[in-house]
Amino acid sequence: MAGNTETDMLKIKNLHASVEGKEILKGINLEVNPGEVHAIMGPNGSGKSTLASVIAGNEDFEVTDGTIELEGEELNELAPEERAHQGVFLSFQYPVEIPGVTVTNFMKTAINETRKARGLEEMPANEMLKKIREKSELLEIDRKFLSRSLNEGFSGGEKKRNEIFQMAMMEPKLAILDETDSGLDIDALKVVANGVNRLKTPQNATIVITHYQRLLDYIVPDHVHVLLNGKIVKSGGKELALELEEKGYDWIKQEAAV
Amino acid sequence: MAYTEEELKKELETKEYEYGFYTDIESDTFPVGLNEDIVRAISKKKEEPEWMTDWRLEAFRVWKEMEEPEWANVKYKKPDFQAISYYSAPSKKPKYDSLDEVDPELLDTFKKLGISLDEQKKLAGVAVDVVMDSVSVATTFKKTLAEKGIIFCSISEAIREYPELVKKYIGTVVPRKDNFYAALNSAVFSDGSFCYIPKGVRCPMELSTYFRINQAGTGQFERTLVIADEGSYVSYLEGCTAPMRDENQLHAAVVELIALDDAEIKYSTVQNWFPGDKEGKGGVFNFVTKRGICETNAKISWTQVETGSAVTWKYPSCVLKGDNSIGEFYSIAVTNNYQQADTGTKMIHLGRNTKSTIISKGISAGKSQNSYRGLVQINGRAENARNFSQCDSLLMGNECGAHTFPYIEAKNKTAQIEHEATTSKIGEDQIFYCNQRGIDTEKAIALIVNGFSKEVLNKLPMEFAVEAQKLLEISLEGSVG
Ligand SMILES: Nc1ncnc2c1ncn2[C@@H]1O[C@H](COP(=O)(O)OP(=O)(O)OP(=O)(O)O)[C@@H](O)[C@H]1O
Ligand SMILES: [Mg+2]
């Protein structure tokens, strides 16, 4: 292992991934340090969700080259749940419905399975309840909501808010938020962004995938990357997002083509 | 070829029959085959009165004229009814001296179910050296029941001690000629439970066959009769989540429930007969006739969780005879590997304002076939009858099947019948979502299945529900790569 004194939270080297023989990620390089917020932007179909899925270990995608490391440890061979146990969390662009399983039960299972994998006892019920109360207050979620079936019949915005509630419960090292802002109304966006900010510590890191500058007004990124056709073609500070908002992607496409 | 001692013993036994060791009816296991003498001998063994012997003989005559039904959506090699021994005295001798001799796979399952060591021994047929707790539990239990005038005993004891009650009700809900298996059972049943709740009494505890310790083993031809007198209530639990292994391939039980005016019977079953190995060999065939009759304002609910058997053929039914009576059927049937299940219910509406609810959840995995077959019949006199049926199927993988056969016969125009059916598949996206939250695939499936079955699990008494949930998990273990 590299003798860095400061290990990256996430280090992606030359990552290639394909689905059904079609290459989607074509050599991604990305380094994220603890305490940082990175934003990934890019046109529809450029591979943002694919990158998130591949980091999380979705086996629909085949990694044909490159490595993904979390705190210096390679994730490539790990199953999705093992990556979750290591502290990777993905807020889904399209959260999935699980009929009959309440939000509370789902979180209880997720937390206890993760604790088990880490060699810890199950979380005592009162502690669990306290945590649920705390985090649902943070995200201004009605308690009644927590006894509904996971994502079943949730509105688009409710689903997204619920994803961030889960993130708050799981306390990941690396959180990837895939278009969490889409579907949220203006007030909800503030609540969710505020939640994300409150959960930030110098030890964890966040990757925010978004199309809009608006979210980045609240969750201020240290770095902004533009993903185009499976590659990061441009990186910069938060002002890059403003520039994109103003000018769109054409100029980047032209630059990249040169 | 290496023989285990068990196999050797079995081999020797069958050899004996081959050599004509036939007519010693006094022996503890009867020779194979069925004829009037065998029926008489069973009745004699049980020290039954003459009316009972005659009742059995009549059933036997009816059975002889009947043919095995063909219509269930299951395929199996028909048992040879002349190759079965119809009576085996309950073995007093333990099968094993210690748990070390028991199949480790079986013990593993016990452990997963959280069954105590003592209970494990009892279930596996191991000698128990200390006086078990449940003996004293059972004694206090019996006392409490007796104080309320509740009768809860084996059917044989009831035939001897309470002949008027048995004579009045046996065969009134499931007549001997009802079907092939019911007729067979009526002729040869040797074991089972009897329960009577007097007028206006609310049974203070769940009645479970488990407490009838001297009769804990389940017979091949079980007969159960539950009578809830006017205005009484009882919740009855049948079965056990522990996997039941049995040398008897064929099981044909009959259960009759009688709910008199204003009475309520809740009958819950968790059934986990050995389904056969992964290739489907050696499982139990389970052909059961369960039916209840409701008088005025009475209510019967059947709740069942079925995970076992190679072949299951079972339709707990309600005859809603009295006005305003209610029938309910809540079922979860799981099939895996090569299992086949054809289950469902019949709701026969005879009285006015009768109401029935059917919730059936079928879960199929592996190469199994799971069928729901239900009949809702509204008779001419049944004004304002209502039925709601919901049949949901959950498929795991591409090699299993789910089938729904709802039959509706309405002879009264005021009937309101609603039927809903859904089929879903456990999606890879659902599994990945769970995985991403740190839940492995096996656990994810258990979670999804529990969610799917929740409406039915909620109907089970609390303790049973927890066990049933664990059972679902275990039954589906390894069913998705
Ligand atoms: N399972 C799959 N099978 C086939 N093609 C896929 C699959 N998943 C993704 N793709 C393709 O890969 C490309 C990248 O998709 P991806 O979802 O990563 O885009 P995105 O950048 O997240 O887009 P958006 O901004 O619309 O969310 C698209 O062309 C998409 O059609
Ligand atoms: Mg996307």
Side-chain angles (χ1 to χ4, degrees), chain A residues 48-50 93-94 178-179 209:
Chain A
K48 302 179 298 296
S49 293
T50 303
Q93 182 174 2
Y94 305 108
D178 191 355
E179 296 199 23
I209 296 172

Side-chain angles (χ1 to χ4, degrees), chain B residues 240-412:
Chain B
C240 173
T241 49
M244 288 285 198
R245 298 209 174 197
D246 200 303
E247 295 96 65
N248 299 319
Q249 255 215 318
L250 173 72
H251 283 253
V254 170
V255 177
E256 295 180 279
L257 308 184
I258 292 132
L260 297 178
D261 291 358
D262 303 303
E264 179 176 350
I265 302 176
K266 245 179 100 125
Y267 193 101
S268 313
T269 307
V270 171
Q271 185 274 114
N272 188 18
W273 293 105
F274 185 51
D277 61 16
K278 289 214 163 58
E279 277 77 52
K281 276 192 228 111
V284 166
F285 296 170
N286 192 21
F287 302 111
V288 186
T289 309
K290 289 181 160 179
R291 195 173 304 150
I293 190 163
C294 287
E295 299 291 345
T296 306
N297 299 324
K299 177 175 172 184
I300 289 179
S301 327
W302 298 100
T303 307
Q304 57 176 31
V305 178
E306 303 263 341
T307 62
S309 296
V311 178
T312 304
W313 179 95
K314 179 174 175 183
Y315 315 91
S317 307
C318 297
V319 179
L320 304 174
K321 181 171 165 241
D323 290 351
N324 313 316
S325 61
I326 299 173
E328 294 175 339
F329 173 76
Y330 302 103
S331 163
I332 302 169
V334 182
T335 53
N336 198 354
N337 298 323
Y338 285 86
Q339 279 175 278
Q340 307 175 60
D342 197 294
T343 65
T345 184
K346 289 181 207 156
M347 293 290 175
I348 315 289
H349 292 251
L350 301 176
R352 281 179 288 257
N353 306 317
T354 46
K355 217 166 84 181
S356 62
T357 305
I358 298 171
I359 312 260
S360 159
K361 304 270 179 180
I363 300 158
S364 350
K367 295 183 163 42
S368 66
Q369 296 296 325
N370 203 329
S371 305
Y372 166 82
R373 188 185 299 278
L375 169 68
V376 176
Q377 193 184 71
I378 315 274
N379 283 60
R381 203 178 67 83
E383 293 288 317
N384 297 318
R386 273 189 292 161
N387 164 267
F388 173 75
S389 304
Q390 184 186 326
C391 304
D392 299 325
S393 309
L394 186 67
L395 299 174
M396 299 165 69
N398 295 318
E399 292 178 291
C400 51
H403 317 272
T404 308
F405 306 99
Y407 304 97
I408 296 167
E409 293 168 15
K411 297 208 181 90
N412 187 308

Side-chain angles (χ1 to χ4, degrees), chain A residues 58 60 80-81 84-85 88-90 92 96-102 106 109-110 113-114 150-151 163 166 170, chain B residues 427-441 443-444 446-454 469:
Chain A
N58 190 333
D60 287 351
E81 66 272 18
H85 301 156
V88 175
F89 180 92
L90 172 59
F92 285 70
V96 178
E97 296 181 3
I98 307 190
V101 177
T102 63
F106 185 67
T109 311
E113 288 296 299
T114 301
L150 186 65
N151 292 323
E163 290 290 290
Q166 293 184 38
M170 304 292 293
Chain B
E428 277 175 23
D429 53 343
Q430 286 177 314
I431 296 201
F432 177 64
Y433 189 83
C434 293
N435 288 164
Q436 209 302 305
R437 300 300 188 248
I439 302 165
D440 68 24
T441 301
K443 190 89 193 173
L447 199 67
I448 295 166
V449 166
N450 271 323
F452 173 78
S453 321
K454 196 164 149 188
Q469 204 164 327

Side-chain angles (χ1 to χ4, degrees), chain B residues 95-96 99 102 106-107 109-111 113-128 132 210 216-218 239-246 467:
Chain B
K95 273 208 288 227
Y96 308 101
L99 275 179
V102 178
L106 185 66
L107 293 182
T109 313
F110 283 162
K111 239 179 266 154
L113 284 165
I115 292 168
S116 77
L117 266 186
D118 271 352
E119 250 180 306
Q120 288 187 24
K121 287 184 180 174
K122 193 171 120 190
L123 292 165
V126 174
V128 182
M132 265 170 46
Y210 168 79
T218 316
C240 173
T241 49
M244 288 285 198
R245 298 209 174 197
D246 200 303
E467 283 183 43

